[in-house]
């Protein structure tokens, strides 16, 4: 049943009264009931990937990595390892992260930029 809804699909576009040619499409249609369920199954192992280093919270297609961080190089390295594991997981499953949209939020009395965290290459 799931296979039937994902394979051998085609679509075309209508502009005014003109139709384009039919084209094969793959993947999960947007706004489908099946889409969110398959996405949750697809990312089911993500929390286990980072759990050794930090907590990860998932909501829809968003993830937050949380680590209590007391401005030490050791704690910073632990958070960076979690970021690295997340990035490796995303590449392994071909779920590319938009690194430009990923942000670090530090909450504290004396926040500094002594420890920089990154996803992917740090250039």
């Amino acid at each position: 049943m799931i296979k039937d809804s994902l394979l051998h699909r085609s679509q075309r576009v209508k502009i005014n009264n003109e139709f384009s040619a039919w084209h094969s499409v793959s993947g999960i249609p947007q706004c489908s009931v099946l889409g969110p369920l398959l996405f949750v199954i697809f990312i089911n192992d993500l929390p286990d990937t980072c759990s050794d280093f930090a907590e990860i919270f998932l909501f829809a297609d968003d993830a937050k990595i949380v680590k209590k961080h007391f401005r030490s190089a050791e704690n910073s390295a632990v958070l960076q390892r979690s970021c690295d594991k997340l990035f490796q997981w995303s590449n392994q499953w071909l779920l590319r992260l938009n690194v430009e949209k990923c942000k670090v939020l530090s909450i504290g009395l004396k926040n500094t930029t002594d420890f920089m965290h990154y996803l992917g290459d740090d250039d």
Side-chain angles (χ1 to χ4, degrees), residues 45-58 63-67 78-90 119:
D45 65 329
L46 178 56
D48 296 334
T49 300
C50 302
S51 66
D52 290 345
F53 308 109
E55 290 184 79
I56 187 165
F57 298 95
L58 304 175
K64 305 282 188 241
I65 298 175
V66 178
K67 175 71 179 158
V78 168
L79 183 55
Q80 184 57 54
R81 279 196 298 275
S82 189
C83 291
D84 294 343
K85 293 293 277 182
L86 173 65
F87 193 75
Q88 290 167 2
W89 179 92
S90 71
L119 286 172

